[in-house]
Amino acid sequence: MTASPVGRATDRVEGRLKVTGAARYSADHPAQGTAYAHVVTSTIARGTITGVDTAAALAAPGVLRVYAAPEPRLRLYPVAEQVRGFSENYAPLQDADVRFHGQIIAMVVAETSEQARDAAALVTATYDARPPRTSLADGPRVEAGPSTGGTPSAVTVLAPGTDSIDAALAASDVVVEAAFHQPVQHHVAMEPQATLAVWNGDRVTVHAGAQIPAAYALVLSQRLGVLPGNVQLITRHVGGGFGGRVPVWSDAPLAAAAARELGRPVKLVLTREQVFTLAGHRSHLTQTVRLGASNDGILNAVSHESVAEMPASGGWNLLPAHSSSDTLYSTPNLRTDPHQVILDLPASRAMRGPNEAPGAFALETAMDELAIATGVDPVELRLRNYATVGPATGRPWSSKHLDECYRVGARRFGWSERDAAPRARVDGQWLLGTGMASAVYPATLHPANVRVRLLDDDTAVVSTAISDLGTGGWTMVAIAGADALGIPLERVTPEIGDTALPQGAPAVGSSATHSTVPMVVQAARDTIAELKRRAVTDAGSPWHGTDAADLRYERGSLHGHGRSMTFGQLLTTLGAPGVDATAAGPGGAPAQYGYHSFGAHFCEVRVNRFTGEARVTRFTTVADVGRIINARAARSQLVGGVIFGIGHALLEENPLELDTGRLAASTLADYLVPVHADIPDIDVHLLDRPDPVLTGPLGDGDEEVGTRSLGARGLGEIGTVGSAAAVGNAVFHATGIRVRDVPITPDKLL
């Protein structure tokens, strides 16, 4: 009997390629006659280019072209309104306007990357500069747009007889009000943005990292002014994304346009410093959370206001209360009010837990303050305000076991041994504290197409154009295929990362797995049905002329009428190399439910009394994320998310120079991210409770292989949401000092 790989700790199917260096990332792909590009960026944040001196660069060794704004030789075009969210709102090098410090104003193409880099340093520019808008206090606030799901971002729910959220707060026994500030943060993916563009007539093949391959190819086709079918994107191995590889940034269309103009392949790899500026960031923002409650901690009112940057060059609609304050806790009165300010900064972008991570830091910190104000234990406070329906929608959840997360996490962490008083534990020069926080993240079902093909050697190929950012997509597709077909994992070959394949689910919003797995199941079912049809209609089959309903597929074989054959044996008998079917899922789930993953974080920190240094020493996370497909990858994703949260809480910050608009810490020497020495062993527990609604009804175990829903739900970002607040709450417990502006650096604790 073949045991299903679902839920097991499975090694990555592409792991050997990666550890041996055989996996090719975007910049690793060769092409005959490749030329190399290097971009030149602006030194002002707002104004007009009055001149670009390219003479010295053109005279440098190996230089083929120098393109400078405004550049008539590189024909790039605006994109349609429907896909504006997948690009910046201007075409690079097409005009003389400067929109932010670090915008591309020129590009050198040479025979080698070193020659292009050296020549780019010789390009100089003059400007008519204007003062940039860089502060959230600089400009008028505008109301934020709707969420990505189309729902209004501002929400007001009032109990009968209550006139306003202010009235509800005034009627509360206890009111907590706290203001929070978060600076610019960056994705800092391991692989820098890189593009290789190769033209063949009017068709172009592009190697680049992308989280939504189909959208990436479509936007690139519009930028280049070619038919969508004339752009093939190959993105098989991607070194991290976190939201930063959703858009088509300026580098890809410039490389492709230069390759077209030159008539030879062009490769462009951004420097690390350029990536900080040209490939998005999480917007800086301020938040104000007000909580009103009874003396025993029962919430009466939740108000969450925010002001975030919206770069003039394009940006992410940051809604920090979305899926945090409007979701987590039961309250009769609720108000979320997000605003934005137009600033002259590089384009912002969604970043892991895009709304929820900053929103949860504010909400979960305020909840900790409410626990102090009411004298209620932080875990008990959350249980007293447990929401069985969405506070903003009134809809029940498809599946929710957050209360179990609290209880299991508290037990695993040893929460009951905690002394509630701040500064109660001292170990030499170290103050010890513990904190906790909730986590929540939406589960959205996206359209996805999957093809399953059975081959005559008893192997199968599962094909879908998703991308794997290091998150385990290759292996997830293989596991789902092996389970749906009832065959060993090693007999399944996944095909991903190529827009020539069936359009896959986007690798965004922790949605790739639960959007893809149901379509693998359906495609497997349809392929099995086609195999049965061939078995009864093909004259060479031993089942020719029988009823397909009498045949049963099980563990890679057909059975019926006293005969059994593997699908490979049958296909060989029929002289057919294979049989396949493609399933197409429209996305969306029944509207009567809310769909979220949930979790609880518990953290211990040590803070040096003399230096203010904070060290995380223990961390426990319990997550309710539906059925686990790959236990090893799931744990890895949760650990990675928590590490993101630790960086959010203690380290990550890119200071903005208000007078110049320059992001001042745009190198890995200055922008600090957690390293091994910063991270303890992280205890992760997965409830593994299948979601019975999101991906279709669960079976009872008696179904034919390929017909059951697995009940999976996304988990890539839930670890990031709330983990920073757990760290901050632990720092307060250790020191008695409440820090509401991240990162929590030593100077704020001295």
Side-chain angles (χ1 to χ4, degrees), residues 42 89 143 158 180 204 227 251 331 350 371 384 417 460 737:
S42 67
N89 59 19
E143 293 184 4
L158 297 173
F180 304 85
V204 62
L227 294 173
D251 57 314
T331 178
R384 290 183 185 183
E417 301 171 9
I737 301 171

Side-chain angles (χ1 to χ4, degrees), residues 207-365:
H207 297 269
Q211 293 182 235
I212 314 178
Y216 194 101
L218 176 61
V219 172
L220 189 54
S221 73
Q222 294 187 9
R223 277 278 186 247
L224 295 169
V226 300
L227 294 173
N230 285 6
V231 175
Q232 180 183 4
L233 174 70
I234 297 176
T235 181
R236 292 194 178 96
H237 298 286
V238 182
F242 314 118
R245 297 190 195 276
V246 171
V248 177
W249 300 109
S250 294
D251 57 314
L254 284 174
R260 177 170 56 186
E261 198 272 333
L262 273 169
R264 59 188 288 189
V266 168
K267 183 179 291 187
L268 170 58
V269 181
L270 297 184
T271 68
R272 179 61 66 181
E273 186 172 4
Q274 290 169 348
V275 170
F276 273 93
T277 301
L278 295 172
H281 62 273
R282 197 198 302 272
S283 298
H284 72 289
L285 78 156
T286 61
Q287 304 178 74
T288 301
V289 174
R290 296 180 292 165
L291 304 178
S294 63
N295 286 320
D296 57 358
I298 305 300
L299 284 168
N300 178 55
V302 174
S303 171
H304 192 155
E305 303 173 2
S306 61
V307 181
E309 69 171 86
M310 174 54 74
S313 56
W316 171 256
N317 186 34
L318 183 55
L319 309 173
H322 183 64
S323 286
S324 59
S325 292
D326 66 2
T327 302
L328 260 175
Y329 301 115
S330 178
T331 178
N333 300 286
L334 171 68
R335 172 65 172 162
T336 67
D337 191 19
H339 287 80
Q340 295 167 344
V341 175
I342 306 298
L343 299 179
D344 300 310
L345 298 175
S348 61
R349 189 49 48 184
M351 179 173 157
R352 199 174 200 175
N355 301 308
E356 299 76 12
F361 178 78
L363 174 65
E364 292 301 286
T365 303

